[in-house]
């Protein structure tokens, strides 16, 4: 099942943003998507949960299947049960007055029983360590906390596939590590994780597969180690993880050592 | 901003539909007549309910400020321009009837504002959403209940835009020209529209659209008491002061 994309093309107006994308993501994969700004990462994320073509108009062609459901024939709110999207900008995702209401909103939409909602909100707040925010007003918390609330609101719905659009952009090192540990945990429990990320060092450590989006198409696809060693990466404008930059430098300087060890550090 | 505030008052424990009924009936009552005595009684009734539930004016301060300024304008303008005005208070060409009419309209405004505050300050968004959903499509219900949440955000955005424009040399102080506000109002509207669109994307992305969890709204005896009380007040008023 997972995700199956065939000949996906999209343009908001004239300029094509996504060009003939073909992609398959299997159940249980942990995929990182990298690409320079404006390469179409966010647009791609909106294609996955059906916001494109249902809510954002443009020239759309091709097929996107999520858990065997074609996004063209299912509404966004029906797809939400299978694929959860954490937005890049928390301010455009959050709209409830209190944090607790925000997290339970998705569950209410699924028609889940009230005491079950309480339980799920509780456990997801525990997992993300945001219990102290429960009764806070959503516009009075920091950007990093907002990002966690957004993630909690999607995690609570327990979708099979999680797509996160730069979920850690406002978080510090510890916060970022916390998020990735949670994602790894979910992944081990069988969830499919797709993360759009600029902080490539984290993908190297946590993802099993990295896709490079450039000019509306996935130009490189493979294991993190292969992808980040690809010489084309710099030209595309994607950051190379520190370990690989050091490796490159050492190799050029003629120093011989166990590079695999270096990367694992 | 009219947002829910935690509390244990009588109205807090009522069914949201009762409070909705209270708000609608008082608003309708206040629209039926322009007599000052009539409107004063409606206003007084609303004020008593407001105070009896120990709601504080602090919570509606920013709103009220705007409406007080608005009503001063209304009173003055009506004083000058009320077409049925006869008694002229010389030496200024203001009519007594005009002032009275302006005052009546302000009373009406404040009645609606207060009864709306009673509803909004004592009802959680999700309950209000469900109560409204019984009468109107739930998409509308959602936009109604969310609208208030965005007021402080839009205020904040206006402030940011003003700061960023002034940082780039826009002069706002000194001569107050309407055109000076265009560079602020245009982006503010643009942002509000984007926000509305993002909101639609956000709620659908989280499954808003099918049957929602029910919160088991139940009309209890005290709800019927409030409904009966409101009705009795309205009928008495209309009996003693036919419109």
């Amino acid at each position: 099942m997972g995700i199956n994309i065939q000949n996906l093309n999209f343009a908001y107006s004239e300029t094509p943003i996504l060009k003939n994308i073909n992609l398959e993501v299997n159940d249980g994969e942990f995929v990182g998507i990298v690409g320079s700004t404006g390469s179409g990462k966010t647009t791609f994320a909106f294609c996955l949960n059906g916001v494109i073509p249902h809510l954002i108009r443009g020239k759309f062609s091709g097929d996107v299947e999520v858990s065997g459901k074609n996004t063209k024939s299912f509404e966004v709110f029906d797809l939400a049960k299978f694929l959860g999207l954490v937005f890049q900008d928390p301010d455009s995702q959050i709209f409830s007055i209190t944090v607790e209401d925000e997290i339970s909103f998705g569950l209410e939409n699924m028609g889940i029983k009230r005491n079950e909602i309480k339980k799920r909100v509780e456990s997801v707040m525990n997992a993300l360590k945001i219990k102290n925010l429960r009764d806070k007003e959503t516009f009075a918390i920091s950007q990093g906390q907002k990002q966690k609330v957004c993630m909690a609101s999607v995690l609570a719905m327990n979708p099979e596939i999680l797509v996160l659009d730069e979920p850690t952009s406002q978080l510090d090192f510890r916060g970022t590590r916390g998020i990735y540990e949670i994602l790894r945990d979910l992944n081990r429990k069988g969830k499919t994780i797709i993360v759009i990320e600029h902080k490539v060092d984290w993908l190297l450590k946590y993802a099993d597969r990295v896709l490079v989006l450039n000019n509306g198409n996935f130009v490189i696809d493979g294991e993190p180690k292969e992808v980040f060693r690809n010489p084309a990466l710099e030209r595309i404008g994607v950051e190379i993880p520190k370990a690989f930059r050091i490796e490159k430098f050492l190799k050029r300087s003629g120093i011989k050592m166990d590079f695999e060890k270096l990367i694992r550090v | 901003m009219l947002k829910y505030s935690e509390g244990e008052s009588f109205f807090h424990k009522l069914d949201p539909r009762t409070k909705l009924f209270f708000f609608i009936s008082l608003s309708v009552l206040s629209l039926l007549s322009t007599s000052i005595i009539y409107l004063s009684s409606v206003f007084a009734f609303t004020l008593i309910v407001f105070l009896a539930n120990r709601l504080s004016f602090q919570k509606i301060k920013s709103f009220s400020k705007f409406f007080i300024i608005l009503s001063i304008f209304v009173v003055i303008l009506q004083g000058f321009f009320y077409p049925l005005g006869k008694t002229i208070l010389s030496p200024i060409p203001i009519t007594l009837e005009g002032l009275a009419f302006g005052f009546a309209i302000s009373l009406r405004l404040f009645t609606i504002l207060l009864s709306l505050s009673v509803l909004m300050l004592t009802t959680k968004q999700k309950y209000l959403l469900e109560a409204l959903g019984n009468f109107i499509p739930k998409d509308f219900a959602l936009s109604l209940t969310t609208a208030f949440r965005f007021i402080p955000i839009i205020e904040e955005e206006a402030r940011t835009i003003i700061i960023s424009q002034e940082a780039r040399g826009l002069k706002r102080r000194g001569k107050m020209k309407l055109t000076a506000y265009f560079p602020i109002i245009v982006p503010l509207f643009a942002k509000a529209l984007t926000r509305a669109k993002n909101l639609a994307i956000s709620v659908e992305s989280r499954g808003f659209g099918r049957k929602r969890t029910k919160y088991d709204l139940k009309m209890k005896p005290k709800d019927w008491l409030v409904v009966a009380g409101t009705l009795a007040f309205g009928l008495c008023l209309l009996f003693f002061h036919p419109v």
Side-chain angles (χ1 to χ4, degrees):
Chain A
M1 299 277 253
I3 294 171
N4 193 347
I5 299 170
Q6 266 163 11
N7 306 320
L8 168 65
N9 284 283
F10 182 75
Y12 287 103
S13 52
E14 290 307 311
T15 342
I17 305 292
L18 301 177
K19 299 169 196 162
N20 204 31
I21 290 181
N22 288 288
L23 179 72
E24 209 166 307
V25 175
N26 297 319
D27 277 335
E29 275 192 288
F30 194 136
V31 182
I33 294 180
V34 295
S36 54
T37 322
S39 56
K41 300 187 298 288
T42 298
T43 308
F44 177 71
F46 279 146
C47 288
L48 293 179
N49 80 335
V51 163
I52 295 174
H54 291 293
L55 299 176
I56 297 177
R57 297 289 144 105
K59 286 179 195 155
F60 177 92
S61 70
D63 290 287
V64 178
E65 272 181 21
V66 172
S67 297
K69 288 159 193 75
N70 194 315
T71 56
K72 277 189 283 195
S73 35
F74 284 82
E75 293 287 344
V76 179
F77 46 78
D78 288 328
L79 290 167
K81 273 167 240 157
F82 307 99
L83 186 141
L85 174 65
V86 179
F87 289 30
Q88 184 177 18
D89 172 18
D91 283 316
S92 61
Q93 178 167 355
I94 295 178
F95 69 94
S96 303
I97 291 169
T98 68
V99 169
E100 189 180 8
D101 284 352
E102 180 70 20
I103 300 175
S104 47
F105 179 74
L107 299 171
E108 289 165 356
N109 290 334
M110 290 164 78
I112 289 169
K113 292 255 159 54
R114 268 176 302 159
N115 32 7
E116 172 72 17
I117 289 183
K118 248 192 178 156
K119 254 185 255 159
R120 284 221 212 165
V121 170
E122 190 82 10
S123 83
V124 80
M125 282 204 287
N126 272 334
L128 284 163
K129 301 195 179 73
I130 51 170
K131 256 181 117 173
N132 55 326
L133 299 180
R134 180 201 296 273
D135 296 316
K136 288 260 166 65
E137 286 172 354
T138 46
F139 50 87
I141 57 178
S142 76
Q143 287 294 319
Q145 289 170 329
K146 282 183 194 172
Q147 276 192 319
K148 284 191 176 177
V149 171
C150 282
M151 202 169 145
S153 67
V154 173
L155 281 186
M157 293 172 73
N158 200 18
E160 291 162 34
I161 304 167
L162 264 172
V163 182
L164 306 102
D165 194 350
E166 294 182 33
T168 63
S169 59
Q170 304 284 338
L171 297 175
D172 57 11
F173 177 79
R174 190 197 297 213
T176 306
R177 188 175 55 195
I179 295 288
Y180 274 99
E181 287 296 327
I182 291 167
L183 292 179
R184 171 183 274 171
D185 234 38
L186 289 166
N187 182 240
R188 287 192 177 143
K189 284 178 195 150
K191 304 271 178 214
T192 310
I193 312 276
I194 299 176
V195 199
I196 295 171
E197 183 65 276
H198 277 303
K199 299 179 185 167
V200 283
D201 292 284
W202 295 99
L203 294 182
L204 175 63
K205 196 167 170 203
Y206 288 92
D208 340 300
R209 179 180 173 192
V210 171
L211 302 168
V212 182
L213 190 62
N214 186 38
N215 273 324
N217 207 337
F218 289 113
V219 287
I220 309 173
D221 173 357
E223 270 185 50
K225 271 186 244 169
E226 284 167 40
V227 171
F228 291 126
R229 279 200 179 105
N230 194 316
L233 219 52
E234 216 153 351
R235 188 173 40 77
I236 292 168
V238 172
E239 195 195 336
I240 296 165
K242 288 181 200 84
F244 289 99
R245 269 183 285 165
I246 296 169
E247 180 195 64
K248 209 166 151 191
F249 174 77
L250 293 176
K251 270 185 181 162
R252 224 177 346 178
S253 316
I255 294 166
K256 287 201 177 75
M257 62 174 287
D258 185 358
F259 289 114
E260 288 311 308
K261 232 181 198 168
L262 171 73
I263 285 152
R264 252 177 281 135
V265 171
Chain B
M1 178 205 171
L2 291 176
K3 61 166 196 278
Y4 176 74
S5 80
E6 215 57 64
E8 288 286 303
S9 77
F10 184 68
F11 261 57
H12 272 91
K13 292 177 204 134
L14 291 181
D15 187 293
R17 285 167 298 183
T18 312
K19 291 178 263 187
L20 208 56
F21 175 79
F22 172 81
F23 161 62
I24 291 169
S25 14
L26 280 155
S27 303
V28 169
L29 272 179
S30 72
L31 291 174
L32 292 180
S33 165
T34 55
S35 140
I36 288 195
I37 302 168
Y38 175 93
L39 283 168
S40 302
S41 357
V42 183
F43 180 71
F45 182 74
T46 320
L47 190 64
I48 289 168
V49 171
F50 185 86
L51 293 173
N53 284 291
R54 274 166 288 153
L55 298 171
S56 96
F57 285 110
Q58 202 65 29
K59 292 266 168 10
I60 55 169
K61 206 175 69 181
S62 55
F63 248 78
S64 316
K65 245 195 250 160
F66 170 75
F67 280 103
I68 287 170
I69 295 167
L70 187 70
S71 26
I72 292 171
F73 267 106
V74 169
V75 171
I76 293 172
L77 282 179
Q78 291 297 340
F80 276 108
F81 301 116
Y82 187 56
L84 302 175
K86 287 188 197 99
T87 334
I88 295 169
L89 302 173
S90 51
I92 11 169
I94 280 185
T95 63
L96 191 62
E97 288 82 357
L99 290 180
F101 184 70
F103 184 64
I105 293 202
S106 308
L107 273 177
R108 174 183 288 174
L109 211 62
F110 278 97
T111 308
I112 296 176
L113 175 68
L114 263 188
S115 54
L116 181 65
S117 311
V118 171
L119 170 68
M120 299 297 292
L121 293 177
T122 63
T123 316
K124 277 193 177 170
Q125 191 186 10
K126 55 185 173 194
Y127 298 132
L128 193 59
L129 183 58
E130 184 166 336
L132 279 168
N134 288 332
F135 309 108
I136 54 175
K138 64 176 178 311
D139 310 29
F140 289 122
L142 183 74
S143 19
L144 278 179
T145 53
T146 2
F148 293 99
R149 185 232 178 274
F150 284 94
I151 292 168
I153 290 179
I154 288 173
E155 267 174 7
E156 181 62 41
E157 269 170 4
R159 227 169 293 138
T160 315
I161 291 170
I162 289 171
I163 291 169
S164 81
Q165 304 276 34
E166 284 185 353
R168 281 173 289 168
L170 178 82
K171 281 204 186 89
R172 221 162 43 88
R173 297 201 174 77
K175 261 189 193 161
M176 291 273 274
K177 274 190 187 160
L178 193 63
T179 48
Y181 283 93
F182 281 144
I184 294 158
I185 290 169
V186 173
L188 194 60
F189 266 97
K191 273 197 164 183
L193 290 175
T194 318
R195 196 167 276 292
K197 186 165 185 172
N198 285 339
L199 179 70
I201 294 174
S202 167
V203 296
E204 279 214 23
S205 294
R206 276 187 292 147
F208 184 78
R210 291 261 182 262
K211 259 197 149 144
R212 280 173 59 83
T213 303
K214 285 267 178 224
Y215 277 97
D216 289 340
L217 304 179
K218 227 187 242 147
M219 295 291 279
K220 289 182 223 112
K222 57 183 164 200
D223 288 301
W224 293 115
L225 192 73
V226 171
V227 170
T230 312
L231 274 179
F233 169 74
L235 291 176
C236 281
L237 189 68
L238 292 175
F239 179 74
F240 288 112
H241 196 296
V243 287

